[in-house]
């Protein structure tokens, strides 16, 4: 499957957001045993990125990024989070 340019940027954003969440978890900004696990922050940030991108591209939210790109971006973001923090909780 070939991804469009916006989908490629979204997947790259998922990796970057996973790294940012692991940095926040390692420095103590996000507690690992808190109300929300760190991977929830990755999911919420991906949703905000998608809404912002769809507003910038002037398309209805949910139509710019296909589901395989969303799943891949979240999986890569959580994978980077796991690699850099050593676990989910």
């Amino acid at each position: 499957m070939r991804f469009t340019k916006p989908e490629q940027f979204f997947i790259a954003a998922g990796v970057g957001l996973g790294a940012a969440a692991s940095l926040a978890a390692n420095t103590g900004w996000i507690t690992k045993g808190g109300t929300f696990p760190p991977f929830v922050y990755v999911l919420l940030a991906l949703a905000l990125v998608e809404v912002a991108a769809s507003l910038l591209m002037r398309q209805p939210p949910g139509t710019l990024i296909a589901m395989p790109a969303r799943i891949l971006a979240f999986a890569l973001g959580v994978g980077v989070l796991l690699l850099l923090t050593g676990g989910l909780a």
Side-chain angles (χ1 to χ4, degrees), residues 65-86:
I65 309 295
M67 189 57 73
R70 290 179 191 157
I71 293 171
L72 183 61
F74 181 65
L76 288 176
V78 171
V80 168
L81 177 69
L82 284 172
L83 283 174
L84 296 178
T85 59

Side-chain angles (χ1 to χ4, degrees), residues 5-6 15-16 20 22 25 39 44 55 57 72-74 83 87 89:
K5 288 288 184 187
V15 172
S22 69
F39 72 89
L44 293 174
L55 289 175
M57 301 289 282
L72 183 61
F74 181 65
L83 283 174

Side-chain angles (χ1 to χ4, degrees), residues 10-78:
F10 186 73
I11 292 168
V15 172
L17 290 170
S22 69
L23 175 69
N26 287 335
T27 57
W29 292 349
I30 298 173
T31 57
K32 293 181 183 178
T35 305
F36 295 118
F39 72 89
V40 173
Y41 292 105
V42 174
L43 183 64
L44 293 174
L46 280 172
L48 289 175
V49 166
E50 183 176 2
V51 168
S54 64
L55 289 175
L56 287 174
M57 301 289 282
R58 298 185 186 214
Q59 292 187 358
T63 60
L64 185 63
I65 309 295
M67 189 57 73
R70 290 179 191 157
I71 293 171
L72 183 61
F74 181 65
L76 288 176
V78 171

